[in-house]
Amino acid sequence: MISYLEFEKPVAALESRIAELRTTAAEGDLDISAEVTRLERKSADLLASTYRALTPWQKTQVARHPMRPHFVDYVRMIFTDFVPLGGDRTFGEDYAIIGGFATIQGRKVMLIGHENGHDTATRIKHNFGMGKPEGYRKATRLMELAGRFGLPVVTLVDTKGAFPGVEAEERGQAEAIARATEACLALPVPMVAVIVGEGGSGGAVALASASRVLMLEHAVYSVISPEGCASILWRTPEKASDAAEAMKVTAQDLHGLKVIERIVQEPVGGAHRDPEMTAKMLSNALVEELDKLGRLSPAEIIAKREERFLAIGQD
Amino acid sequence: MSWLNRVRNSLSSLGAAKEQIPDNLWIKCPNCGEMLFTKDYEANLSVCPRCDHHGRIGTDARLSQILDAGFQLLPSPRVKDDPLKFRDSKKYTDRLKAARAANPHHDALTNALGTIDGHRAVVGVQDFFFMAGSMGVAVGAAFVSGVERAIKERAPYIICTAAGGARMQEGILSLMQMPKATVALRRLRAAGLPYIVVLTDPTTGGVTASYAMLGDIHIAEPGCLIGFAGQRVIQDTIREKLPEGFQRAEYLHAHGMVDMVVRRPELKATLAMLLSYMCNKAA
Ligand SMILES: [Zn+2]
């Protein structure tokens, strides 16, 4: 059962009409196949045209869609032999940020990413994808491990932001993020980051200071959530749509600003409509990027990554 | 006045900026409300003689408090204004214009080269009075150029941080200054040069989560706010009262995030002492 976003209501209406017709057809022997085909075409066209013209705020909602595939789904669909590794060796384990050895199309990598959970119980377990200092410190630890053993790093970024809580602040949320960012930049191995859902602020950049940064077509990446920006600059979260527009949060905008290198296409109607197809396209994009970077020496890898960040916004 | 009260009251210190413009003969301490003769207050390094509140100070005051006379202001790289063509209730270009009209500097971070009790250093100051010290491309570029100058001079880099948050009007480009500044710091470290962070009120958001927390030494001014997440955001998330002194310098010291809390009159001597230990490798 698909859950529809507000702006998908016309599509929802058509799809439910189609389902109704099918039920009616199954009950009687009315021949309605022509009508169903017509409506299906209409619905598909409407979905495609809606998704071609998504506003930044609509994309934010797609990026946060409750059925959008997450880290654990991509692990299942893209990677084999995943060996999750836990703990920061200082304080604890953080299920909002998961990582471990993994294999993608025969290539061994270190895989790290945010996991949001998919129902109430798992969302609480994974703290809605909001990492705490121990999560970022674990990521640092795993990146250092990857660097030492020559494993490229792949990150899947999907977070509203780092957890805003008293304990997180006490344990040095800021320091943990700063060190994780630094760990990305110090890697003598290739690092490819993908913003697969929402890339929120420092909690995202800590896992995305990579050699190459990719975004799924309808993912968003920003310095503050549109609601947060609207609350401060427009003095009401109601203006989130304006804030999303003004801040340039979409993959297409960020590609134009040279903040990301590549946009990975999503199936028509968004990743949640066809997770398998999304995973396949993402897997191929990742392998292409890893293979390109694999030809560079460790010194070149570090230098190029540094140049990448020094150049952003400078032209 | 007790320290706890001071912490409570300093939440209202956001309103202090206006009161501290030195044209006024008198100034009201934003913490204890004492009316102070501006000249005396400034002679006291903008620290209230009654309650020891450390008032916010601008770039030039900070530099002259830390550096020996005769320091040299360094030019900051010019970057494109308003890369996103951003407008909320006002155009970003208008906000920039207003900030520049009210401040002697072109953006929120300025570097200077000089000596601290004879020890050569490049000192960067982030100015809360320029758009709340927020970090945009200009701030990131100035930070990088300050660090690069330090490497060229074989001198330590000292940054006095202050940031109320991100330069939201520069969107993602503001966020990208975090890794950018970090790249520069990696080079400073590779050059074997010290990096000292002086955290001043307030240091929050992406600045805290990048160069403010990567120092070899972290010094904080008494009572200053230091944090990643904003207090209102945290309160909305946890729906509990925040602990006393939360995110204040003393609290961060107690939690192991800063080496020391240093009163402003002792700051220069403290920096000189630190540099005497850290800068004795042959250049
Ligand atoms: Zn006072």
Side-chain angles (χ1 to χ4, degrees):
Chain A
M1 185 64 203
I2 298 245
S3 69
Y4 292 95
L5 298 166
E6 187 60 33
F7 64 86
E8 294 176 314
K9 287 237 164 103
V11 177
L14 277 172
E15 289 187 353
S16 86
R17 175 81 189 118
I18 293 164
E20 255 171 52
L21 280 174
R22 284 224 176 91
T23 319
T24 319
E27 282 162 2
D29 47 12
L30 270 157
D31 183 17
I32 49 152
S33 64
E35 177 64 358
V36 167
T37 310
R38 192 185 69 81
L39 286 178
E40 277 177 341
R41 160 113 3 126
K42 195 175 166 194
S43 162
D45 287 350
L46 185 59
L47 187 67
S49 63
T50 302
Y51 269 76
R52 261 197 310 275
L54 291 180
T55 67
W57 179 235
Q58 288 169 339
K59 277 182 186 273
T60 307
Q61 292 161 57
V62 175
R64 294 172 180 170
H65 195 287
M67 298 181 72
R68 193 168 173 88
H70 288 157
F71 186 90
V72 295
D73 305 304
Y74 291 121
V75 166
R76 180 172 46 77
M77 296 184 291
I78 296 181
F79 298 89
T80 54
D81 295 331
F82 179 52
V83 185
L85 301 170
D88 69 344
R89 301 295 188 270
T90 304
F91 179 80
E93 169 65 326
D94 183 354
Y95 298 102
I97 297 175
I98 304 178
F101 299 126
T103 303
I104 174 169
Q105 296 187 30
R107 294 151 184 83
K108 290 181 163 46
V109 300
M110 178 66 80
L111 174 67
I112 306 170
H114 302 93
E115 171 54 41
N116 287 271
H118 60 270
D119 56 20
T120 305
T122 53
R123 281 185 189 120
I124 289 168
K125 178 185 175 192
H126 296 288
N127 199 30
F128 302 85
M130 295 185 287
K132 294 180 182 168
E134 44 278 18
Y136 289 102
R137 292 191 177 118
K138 173 173 67 182
T140 299
R141 188 190 135 228
L142 298 188
M143 285 192 270
E144 284 168 359
L145 202 74
R148 261 187 298 130
F149 297 105
L151 294 166
V153 175
V154 172
T155 59
L156 304 180
V157 175
D158 193 4
T159 183
K160 282 187 272 301
F163 184 62
V166 172
E167 292 160 75
E169 295 287 314
E170 278 180 354
R171 295 198 291 272
Q173 185 72 285
E175 195 264 358
I177 289 171
R179 292 285 170 200
T181 305
E182 191 187 8
C184 295
L185 296 165
L187 280 172
V189 290
M191 174 175 182
V192 181
V194 191
I195 318 292
V196 293
E198 192 172 10
S201 190
V205 88
L207 299 187
S209 298
S211 310
R212 306 273 293 176
V213 182
L214 282 52
M215 277 176 82
L216 289 192
E217 186 182 354
H218 304 307
V220 293
Y221 189 13
S222 66
V223 68
I224 183 171
S225 70
E227 295 95 323
C229 177
S231 304
I232 297 169
L233 292 182
W234 279 263
R235 310 214 170 267
T236 166
E238 304 289 304
K239 292 282 185 183
S241 173
D242 293 327
E245 186 91 41
M247 281 200 297
K248 309 266 188 283
V249 300
T250 70
Q252 295 69 27
D253 284 329
L254 300 196
H255 191 257
L257 290 166
K258 296 183 193 151
V259 169
I260 64 163
E261 274 80 15
R262 178 170 179 160
I263 299 171
V264 181
Q265 243 197 318
E266 293 185 30
V268 174
H272 59 282
R273 286 231 168 208
D274 192 347
E276 292 289 343
M277 176 64 83
T278 309
K280 203 171 147 196
M281 290 195 276
L282 178 54
S283 178
N284 290 338
L286 276 170
V287 163
E288 271 179 41
E289 298 297 338
L290 287 170
D291 288 354
K292 259 187 267 176
L293 293 165
R295 292 192 280 270
L296 302 172
S297 72
E300 283 173 321
I301 286 169
I302 292 173
K304 274 186 183 291
R305 195 189 293 119
E306 290 188 346
E307 290 310 323
R308 176 190 192 281
F309 284 100
L310 290 175
I312 290 178
Q314 292 292 83
D315 48 306
Chain B
M1 168 161 294
S2 80
W3 177 79
L4 293 178
N5 281 333
R6 185 144 43 89
V7 166
R8 275 194 212 108
N9 291 347
S10 58
L11 289 172
S12 64
S13 63
L14 274 166
K18 224 180 293 153
E19 292 162 300
Q20 290 180 0
I21 291 170
D23 305 342
N24 306 330
L25 201 56
W26 292 90
I27 190 165
K28 190 173 154 191
C29 171
N31 179 44
C32 71
E34 179 87 342
M35 291 305 292
L36 303 161
F37 198 41
T38 304
K39 257 194 179 152
D40 294 345
Y41 177 68
E42 280 167 8
N44 203 35
L45 310 179
S46 305
V47 175
C48 174
R50 182 163 172 241
C51 72
D52 205 44
H53 174 77
H54 282 53
R56 289 173 181 156
I57 54 175
T59 304
D60 295 334
R62 176 70 67 182
L63 287 171
S64 59
Q65 288 182 16
I66 291 180
L67 287 162
D68 302 332
F71 64 83
Q72 176 198 352
L73 281 176
L74 300 174
S76 292
R78 284 298 157 94
V79 300
K80 196 159 87 188
D81 283 343
D82 193 18
L84 305 187
K85 311 257 176 291
F86 193 100
R87 99 174 281 165
D88 46 86
S89 56
K90 269 191 203 157
K91 282 199 281 189
Y92 177 36
T93 48
D94 289 343
R95 288 185 193 272
L96 272 177
K97 227 178 273 167
R100 282 172 191 159
N103 198 293
H105 301 285
H106 197 71
D107 210 294
L109 200 160
T110 305
N111 295 295
L113 172 66
T115 56
I116 300 172
D117 286 344
H119 299 277
R120 284 173 68 255
V122 176
V123 177
V125 177
Q126 215 166 343
D127 191 339
F128 184 79
F129 299 132
F130 193 105
M131 292 193 76
S134 55
M135 175 166 64
V137 177
V139 166
F143 184 90
V144 171
S145 90
V147 171
E148 281 172 350
R149 184 61 182 262
I151 295 171
K152 199 173 138 212
E153 302 282 341
R154 299 286 317 151
Y157 188 65
I158 298 170
I159 181 78
C160 303
T161 59
R167 190 76 59 88
M168 282 172 287
Q169 295 87 349
E170 298 188 16
I172 194 82
L173 297 176
S174 166
L175 189 68
M176 291 298 116
Q177 304 314 306
M178 295 170 66
K180 185 201 269 180
T182 308
V183 166
L185 287 177
R186 279 175 36 77
R187 293 180 175 179
L188 186 76
R189 210 172 296 161
L193 296 164
Y195 172 52
I196 299 177
V197 182
V198 178
L199 298 131
T200 77
D201 191 56
T203 298
T204 65
V207 169
T208 319
S210 59
Y211 57 82
M213 281 290 137
L214 292 173
D216 297 312
I217 306 282
H218 295 168
I219 300 173
E221 286 206 316
C224 76
L225 179 80
I226 307 164
F228 175 64
Q231 300 206 340
R232 225 188 38 211
V233 177
I234 296 173
Q235 210 142 22
D236 289 349
T237 309
I238 62 166
R239 300 188 185 285
E240 282 167 37
K241 242 188 105 195
L242 298 175
E244 294 281 359
F246 181 60
Q247 291 185 327
R248 296 287 157 180
E250 296 74 10
Y251 185 93
L252 266 88
H253 182 250
H255 287 90
M257 290 299 144
V258 302
D259 291 280
M260 54 187 98
V261 179
V262 176
R263 292 186 63 251
R264 203 168 285 165
E266 284 94 53
L267 182 56
K268 182 174 179 177
T270 304
L271 288 170
M273 175 66 87
L274 290 168
L275 295 181
S276 77
Y277 280 100
M278 300 169 83
C279 298
N280 53 18
K281 267 199 309 199

